[in-house]
Amino acid sequence: MSQDYNNPAFKKLLQKLQEESWQLELLISGFAIFGLFTAIEPIFDSMREAQNTRQLSVSVIYTIGFISCAILIFNLMFHVLLRGLWIGALGLRYVSGDIDYDVLNYSPKFTKYLKKKVGSFDKYIGTLENYCSIIFAISFLLIFYVLAITFSIFTIVLLATYVLDSDTLPGWISKGIGIPVMVFICFGMLITFIDFITLGFLKKKKWISKIYFPIYWVFSFITLSFLYRALVYNFLDNKFGRRLSLILVPFYILAAIMTSFHYTKSNYINSNLNSSSIMANSSSYENLLMENKTFTDDVIIQSKVITDPFVKVFMLYSENIEDRVFYYNPSLEPDKDARGLGTDIVITSNFSSETKIDSLRQEYLKTINSIYTIKIDSTTYNNELIFGQNLKKELGFETYIGTKELREGKHLLKVSRRSIVEGDTTYWRVARIPFWYYPN
């Protein structure tokens, strides 16, 4: 069909679809809003959980998904509201026709003013139609803008990680080629952004456009603009579209500001305080995590009130912990870091390598236990941390401490980690969790 775009029959079909597009717009908006409201909470929870466990790559993916959902919900709800107003105006026109200013019998001053500012009712309906169609189209275009910014930043990060900081590439490639490419990408990203916010100013000047064209060509692939370029230029060649695009920007800024407001109940107490000797945050207790669906803190125990003959200590895994293990035991650092996105497809299986990994896991745990120290009040306990999972199926390290020697009442669990600064060994606070021990 793309070969027949000049065919009169094809143009006639497009005209018919254009006239009836409002039905498709409402149908898509309705299903999309329902799906987005269903998806946004799990995406937000996954984003927060990835941030909590410091999984950077996963956190970025979920953040992009959350921002995209928020943009679409805002735009599509605005579209449905205006489209509903448009349908209502059409129904009113069927009953009442156009506005008859003579029937209103206003004074000549008001009649003249209203005819100039309000005008024909058909003009009002046409303006609503234009607003609805452009807002619907720009809703999905904005998602591509989010992806364009993300891919541009990813390009810089990947170039810095795998070229500039590479130990395997020769210096003439990593530095001699990597640095000029990095300068080109950063400079090109800035220039492309300037051209974007000025609505194509750099493309209008003959001598500047010759310099800008190679940058434009490269970034058309980095930002995937070749997929939505036609939509952008269709907006820019229309005065109404340009005006509406600029009007929407303050709305997005206002929406972002509005979502940042919250009510503060106290000058001294808030739910974001970490657990300490004077604060018991529910994110530090495993039973409350499941009841309240809160996020796991760095260290948790089973409950605020301990009636068991033991205290279960669970330390949530994060990539920072593994980085510390590599720092204190460089022999555990693999030649190729397997962390990050991967696949479950297994090409071969090597039993001998699995046996080697098991021995390395033992050494891994030994290093973990040498880094972290666990105390209850002033008593230090021997670490026996092993790999485990909490009730939320999150990976981490766990151990159990007997409560036989504890007196009844309040106690404070302290977890610290070893740190070497300029040759001096110090211990940094990881967690402080209060609990009460009352045996059955």
Side-chain angles (χ1 to χ4, degrees):
M1 185 174 287
S2 61
Q3 302 298 325
D4 302 328
Y5 61 90
N6 287 320
N7 190 309
F10 182 65
K11 290 183 177 294
K12 186 177 180 181
L13 175 62
L14 287 181
Q15 182 66 30
K16 182 180 179 182
L17 291 174
Q18 179 180 312
E19 292 172 357
E20 298 176 356
S21 65
W22 65 272
Q23 302 174 40
L24 292 174
E25 287 178 15
L26 280 177
L27 186 65
I28 293 172
S29 293
F31 278 109
I33 291 171
F34 175 77
L36 289 167
F37 270 114
T38 304
I40 193 167
E41 186 175 354
I43 291 174
F44 180 74
D45 291 342
S46 298
M47 179 187 73
R48 290 285 304 279
E49 187 172 347
Q51 292 172 349
N52 189 52
T53 55
R54 299 172 181 84
Q55 301 177 53
L56 180 60
S57 57
V58 178
S59 175
V60 169
I61 292 172
Y62 280 119
T63 301
I64 295 170
F66 177 75
I67 293 173
S68 300
C69 284
I71 290 173
L72 283 176
I73 287 174
F74 177 82
N75 274 31
L76 293 179
M77 288 188 68
F78 190 30
H79 166 260
V80 169
L81 178 65
L82 287 183
R83 189 55 85 176
L85 183 61
W86 175 80
I87 293 172
L90 284 176
L92 183 60
R93 185 185 183 278
Y94 174 76
V95 174
S96 183
D98 206 344
I99 302 173
D100 191 341
Y101 292 99
D102 294 331
V103 172
L104 294 175
N105 197 27
Y106 291 157
S107 67
K109 182 176 179 62
F110 269 97
T111 301
K112 182 180 178 181
Y113 176 81
L114 291 175
K115 283 184 177 180
K116 180 181 178 182
K117 292 297 182 180
V118 178
S120 168
F121 194 61
D122 290 350
K123 178 186 175 183
Y124 173 73
I125 293 175
T127 303
L128 279 179
E129 166 68 23
N130 291 337
Y131 272 108
C132 293
S133 297
I134 290 179
I135 288 174
F136 184 78
I138 206 173
S139 300
F140 297 95
L141 182 59
L142 287 172
I143 304 305
F144 282 108
Y145 287 158
V146 172
L147 292 176
I149 295 172
T150 303
F151 289 146
S152 298
I153 296 173
F154 266 170
T155 301
I156 294 174
V157 172
L158 291 174
L159 189 62
T161 304
Y162 294 103
V163 178
L164 294 181
D165 292 340
S166 175
D167 296 329
T168 57
L169 294 175
W172 67 272
I173 294 179
S174 62
K175 300 298 187 290
I177 297 179
I179 292 177
V181 172
M182 177 64 84
V183 172
F184 173 80
I185 294 297
C186 293
F187 176 75
M189 186 176 176
L190 177 62
I191 294 300
T192 303
F193 179 72
I194 291 173
D195 183 66
F196 171 73
I197 62 175
T198 57
L199 304 180
F201 174 79
L202 300 181
K203 301 185 187 77
K204 298 175 182 177
K205 303 299 180 180
K206 188 174 181 181
W207 65 273
I208 297 179
S209 65
K210 292 181 179 179
I211 301 173
Y212 175 59
F213 181 78
I215 298 174
Y216 170 82
W217 186 83
V218 171
F219 273 84
S220 69
F221 291 97
I222 293 176
T223 61
L224 302 181
S225 65
F226 59 88
L227 295 175
Y228 54 89
R229 189 181 294 152
L231 274 174
V232 175
Y233 294 133
N234 210 324
F235 273 115
L236 295 181
D237 73 352
N238 182 282
K239 184 178 180 181
F240 185 82
R242 290 199 303 270
R243 187 183 303 168
L244 181 60
S245 299
L246 294 175
I247 290 174
L248 283 175
V249 173
F251 276 102
Y252 293 132
I253 295 174
L254 180 62
I257 293 173
M258 291 296 292
T259 57
S260 68
F261 283 102
H262 63 275
Y263 184 81
T264 302
K265 296 180 180 179
S266 170
N267 289 293
Y268 300 98
I269 305 172
N270 65 70
S271 59
N272 294 324
L273 289 174
N274 293 324
S275 291
S276 64
S277 59
I278 58 172
M279 177 65 184
N281 194 307
S282 59
S283 62
S284 297
Y285 306 98
E286 193 170 33
N287 62 330
L288 297 180
L289 289 177
M290 304 307 295
E291 293 176 9
N292 303 331
K293 296 183 180 181
T294 54
F295 295 101
T296 309
D297 212 340
D298 291 336
V299 179
I300 62 173
I301 59 177
Q302 69 263 46
S303 63
K304 287 182 183 180
V305 179
I306 304 294
T307 58
D308 303 313
F310 58 84
V311 177
K312 176 187 176 182
V313 182
F314 180 86
M315 185 167 65
L316 186 67
Y317 168 82
S318 71
E319 292 185 7
N320 290 340
I321 290 179
E322 192 151 297
D323 290 337
R324 293 188 193 104
V325 170
F326 294 159
Y327 174 78
Y328 287 106
N329 194 340
S331 64
L332 289 172
E333 187 170 3
D335 296 331
K336 184 178 180 181
D337 199 330
R339 291 177 294 180
L341 296 177
T343 177
D344 290 332
I345 299 175
V346 178
I347 306 300
T348 59
S349 179
N350 192 327
F351 179 77
S352 60
S353 64
E354 288 296 323
T355 304
K356 182 180 178 181
I357 290 176
D358 284 340
S359 63
L360 291 175
R361 288 191 181 110
Q362 296 288 342
E363 187 66 23
Y364 188 104
L365 285 175
K366 183 178 178 181
T367 306
I368 284 287
N369 283 293
S370 68
I371 296 174
Y372 292 91
T373 301
I374 299 176
K375 290 183 177 182
I376 294 181
D377 300 328
S378 59
T379 305
T380 303
Y381 291 84
N382 292 328
N383 289 358
E384 294 182 2
L385 289 164
I386 64 170
F387 299 116
Q389 290 182 322
N390 60 15
L391 295 179
K392 295 178 69 176
K393 304 299 181 183
E394 294 172 316
L395 291 174
F397 310 90
E398 65 180 41
T399 188
Y400 293 82
I401 299 173
T403 57
K404 183 178 180 181
E405 305 299 327
L406 295 181
R407 58 174 176 76
E408 291 187 353
K410 180 187 172 186
H411 297 275
L412 185 65
L413 176 81
K414 305 174 185 177
V415 179
S416 306
R417 68 175 176 87
R418 180 160 55 100
S419 178
I420 300 176
V421 180
E422 297 180 354
D424 295 330
T425 300
T426 59
Y427 287 89
W428 289 14
R429 176 183 298 182
V430 175
R432 296 290 186 271
I433 304 176
F435 67 92
W436 286 258
Y437 174 59
Y438 293 104
N440 289 327

